[in-house]
Amino acid sequence: MRSDIIKKGVTRASQRSLLKATGLSNKDLEKPLIGVVNSFNEVNPGHIGLNELAQEVKLGVASAGGVAMEFPTIAICDGIAMGHHGMHYPLASREIIADSIEAMAEGHQLDALVLITNCDKITPGMMMAAARLDIPSILIAGGPMYAGIHKGKQTDGSKLYEAAGAVSAGKMSEEELDQLEKAAAPGCGACGLLGTANSMNCMSEILGMSLPWNSTIPAYLAERKALARRTGETIMELLENEITPRKILTKEAFENAIMVDMAIGGSSNTVLHLVAIAHEAGVELKIEEFDEISKIVPKLCSFSPGGEYHMQDLYNVGGLQVVIKEVAKLERFHKNQLTVTGKSIWDNVEDAKEPDGEVVRTIERPYYNEGGIAILKGNLAEDGAVVKQSAVSEEMFVHEGSAKVFDQEEIAVDAILNGKIVPGDIVVIRYEGPKGGPGMREMLTPTSAIAGAGLDKSVALITDGRFSGATRGAAIGHVSPEAAEGGTITTFSSSAIHCTLNPNVSEITLTGTKVRPFSIKGATSVSTLFP
């Protein structure tokens, strides 16, 4: 066992003494030491229920012959950090999470890890650590929050950002806003829409790093406790069979993940996170591959914020396994990929239900003929840009208007809320990239303010920042090179730029490119293509 280096031999008397000081016995020191990483805190609603899961995980570890050793990591709530100075920190916290887990696991020579997660940067940060360490590891999520009910319909937190725009536009009273606040987030769990949190929990399942049902059992249900206990038992099986993350996180596993991501219409942030996890696993994953796969995988689901369904609805019709089984019909899907069950991804889903036809549609009758995300590239974004194309209204596939340029998110939001943005405009927010932000802040506040003001079908937004998974509308982010790196986005001038979104402007298509054109023509116009 890896932990023998701190437990065995006369030179390790001091280490054994310190371990015994935590309550371990000589018999315990003969067993594997399993790190249980618990991102519980009392700030983040997605994590406030994780202590109960940690207890179940530890019971599972103990019942299978291991010694569970719990330690924490941080977990910022993106929703609380949104729209102010605090948003500089969430993306950077992903690296802190990965580094802190590495430090604890290496410093104490732990034999294996159970990673208890739930939200936006925590899930990818934990998978990055697992891939980097390459010791037996498994994830268990806290589960999605139930949708709230407002005026007889399901609702969620994304509607509150749009409501702020509606209040500013005089379309909603502050009293109604208060009622919506009370309804939108009814209890613990990852926000019930398909934002980054639930998208990445889905990615952990399709990548093979968590057990089936991990991404969809609601946080409230006892079934999730049983899954946590089984997760604790499974880490011991992974240790015994020497199954480590890099045996699971292959190039083929990432291709499967992108396919399922496109089918569910996941967050645009999955591009950032899957590429980072792949890097830690030693797998080369290029953003162009997202676009390539998007062209061959139809969108089978329509979750909030772009659609009407929530994660509880996916749970009720059979879980993510239904989507995976349907996507597995496509020739490119790799059925034999290993997972933490010790079986292939196909073995895990072969007995899943068939699509119900609405929450999950069939490949023959999709919501959209392509995947949820498109990669844009051209002389405005030489290194690429990302759009959640499935959340763009058809009215915006061809759009023309004047650019209004802002060098900070807050200034843009003020302009939107005070009626300075009108139908036909294209809002440009720059100097919000990884370096320029710093921290590549999410732009949910401006996109939601646009939607709440009723402008999402007449106003586009372009930024070198990024978007929340809750974003909808013609929102183009991740523009690279970013403004702080001298990217072309710095050439915008509010008084001079005329912007065009037009899929039929063939003269600006880059010769030989395999991604959708996204370009400036001359120095006075910008064009992008939606399929």
Side-chain angles (χ1 to χ4, degrees), residues 26 40 42 113 200 228 313 396 410:
N26 282 332
F40 163 82
E42 293 184 343
L113 293 173
M200 288 310 302
D313 299 309
M396 294 301 291
E410 287 86 347

Side-chain angles (χ1 to χ4, degrees), residues 194 263-265 298-303 309 314 323 358-361 367:
L194 189 64
I264 62 176
K299 182 171 177 280
L300 306 181
C301 305
S302 184
F303 294 111
Y309 295 110
L314 182 56
V323 181
E358 285 304 319
V359 178
V360 182
R361 290 190 176 181
Y367 280 98

Side-chain angles (χ1 to χ4, degrees), residues 34 36 53-68 114 225-237:
I34 310 300
V36 177
L53 296 185
Q55 295 306 312
E56 297 297 333
V57 166
K58 289 188 285 187
L59 284 173
V61 170
S63 70
V67 174
V114 179
K225 292 183 181 180
L227 185 71
R229 196 177 315 117
R230 176 61 185 146
T231 297
E233 296 166 352
T234 301
I235 192 62
M236 300 304 296
E237 297 170 6

Side-chain angles (χ1 to χ4, degrees), residues 228-308:
R229 196 177 315 117
R230 176 61 185 146
T231 297
E233 296 166 352
T234 301
I235 192 62
M236 300 304 296
E237 297 170 6
L238 293 171
L239 183 61
E240 180 180 358
N241 295 313
E242 299 182 344
I243 298 176
T244 62
R246 292 195 181 194
K247 292 179 181 178
I248 295 171
L249 296 173
T250 64
K251 181 60 178 287
E252 290 76 15
F254 283 100
E255 290 183 356
N256 284 351
I258 296 171
M259 293 180 75
V260 171
D261 188 24
M262 296 304 163
I264 62 176
S267 165
S268 59
N269 286 320
T270 56
V271 177
L272 287 173
H273 299 321
L274 288 176
V275 170
I277 297 163
H279 175 75
E280 296 290 356
V283 172
E284 184 179 10
L285 189 64
K286 298 179 179 179
I287 60 170
E288 289 82 3
E289 294 176 65
F290 287 80
D291 200 69
E292 176 189 342
I293 292 173
S294 178
K295 292 175 183 177
I296 64 172
V297 180
K299 182 171 177 280
L300 306 181
C301 305
S302 184
F303 294 111
S304 178
E308 61 179 299

Side-chain angles (χ1 to χ4, degrees), residues 193-231:
L193 69 156
L194 189 64
T196 306
N198 286 314
S199 293
M200 288 310 302
N201 287 338
C202 288
M203 292 301 94
S204 76
E205 189 171 329
I206 177 58
L207 281 169
M209 289 298 295
S210 60
L211 294 176
W213 291 102
N214 174 68
S215 58
T216 55
I217 299 172
Y220 305 75
L221 297 188
E223 190 178 351
R224 183 157 290 278
K225 292 183 181 180
L227 185 71
R229 196 177 315 117
R230 176 61 185 146
T231 297

